[in-house]
Amino acid sequence: MKQLKRIYQYLQQRYGEMWSLTIVCFTIVVMGIPNIMDLTENLRSTEGDKYLTWIYICNLLCLTIISTQLLRLDCRQLLSRRTANILDTSGYLILLLMILRHRLEKHVIGLNLDGNDLFQQDTAYIYLLGFLLIFISRLVLRAVKIKEEQDLTI
């Protein structure tokens, strides 16, 4: 019981009012674990499209990157270079995974992915998320510079 109380106090201290963010991130990771088991079974089987499985693995990696990078944020000091670096690296990693996913789409034979609107929207939204994370990291960097200039004038 003391360990749970210690964990709760640590989360409350680190994340303050945003401690529910950890619950969301852990939920995303826990929901992804059964999908990983299904995907590994699909990779081992002789039937099925292996490239489609790798596309879904790229999607799961994007979710994992987002949730782990959000857990690395220090909510007590959101305007910091560390926050900007975390957002920047996660945005670039998501874009890299989406480029890999786009290359894998060309090899899928079992399904017609060009006619599937949901699949195309999914790809567009994840690309948009990557670009948005990079854009927000640039905004945070600019805010840090403005804050440092204000601290120097005071």
Side-chain angles (χ1 to χ4, degrees), residues 8 11 26 38 46 59 61 78-80 88 103 116 140:
Y8 174 77
L11 292 176
F26 285 130
D38 292 340
T46 57
N59 286 348
L61 284 174
L78 281 177
L79 283 180
S80 65
D88 201 36
R103 298 288 294 176
N116 192 346
V140 169

Side-chain angles (χ1 to χ4, degrees), residues 125-144:
Y125 288 142
I126 297 175
Y127 269 119
L128 182 64
L129 176 67
F131 286 122
L132 189 65
L133 285 173
I134 293 169
F135 176 73
I136 291 173
S137 74
R138 299 293 187 246
L139 285 177
V140 169
L141 270 178
R142 181 71 182 138
V144 167

Side-chain angles (χ1 to χ4, degrees), residues 42-129:
N42 193 15
L43 281 175
R44 291 182 187 156
S45 71
T46 57
E47 301 172 0
D49 199 349
K50 307 266 189 243
Y51 290 109
L52 191 60
T53 304
W54 283 108
I55 288 172
Y56 290 130
I57 288 174
C58 286
N59 286 348
L60 281 174
L61 284 174
C62 285
L63 283 174
T64 306
I65 287 170
I66 291 169
S67 56
T68 55
Q69 296 291 33
L70 284 177
L71 285 175
R72 290 183 57 210
L73 288 177
D74 188 5
C75 294
R76 293 173 291 183
Q77 296 177 342
L78 281 177
L79 283 180
S80 65
R81 293 188 189 280
R82 183 173 187 261
T83 302
N85 289 338
I86 288 172
L87 293 173
D88 201 36
T89 55
S90 59
Y92 281 119
L93 283 173
I94 288 172
L95 286 179
L96 181 69
L97 284 170
M98 286 298 102
I99 291 170
L100 176 66
R101 177 184 167 178
H102 181 68
R103 298 288 294 176
L104 290 170
E105 286 175 15
K106 296 177 182 176
H107 299 288
V108 173
I109 20 175
L111 295 172
N112 182 11
L113 297 177
D114 294 331
N116 192 346
D117 290 335
L118 185 63
F119 190 81
Q120 297 301 326
Q121 288 175 353
D122 179 39
T123 304
Y125 288 142
I126 297 175
Y127 269 119
L128 182 64
L129 176 67

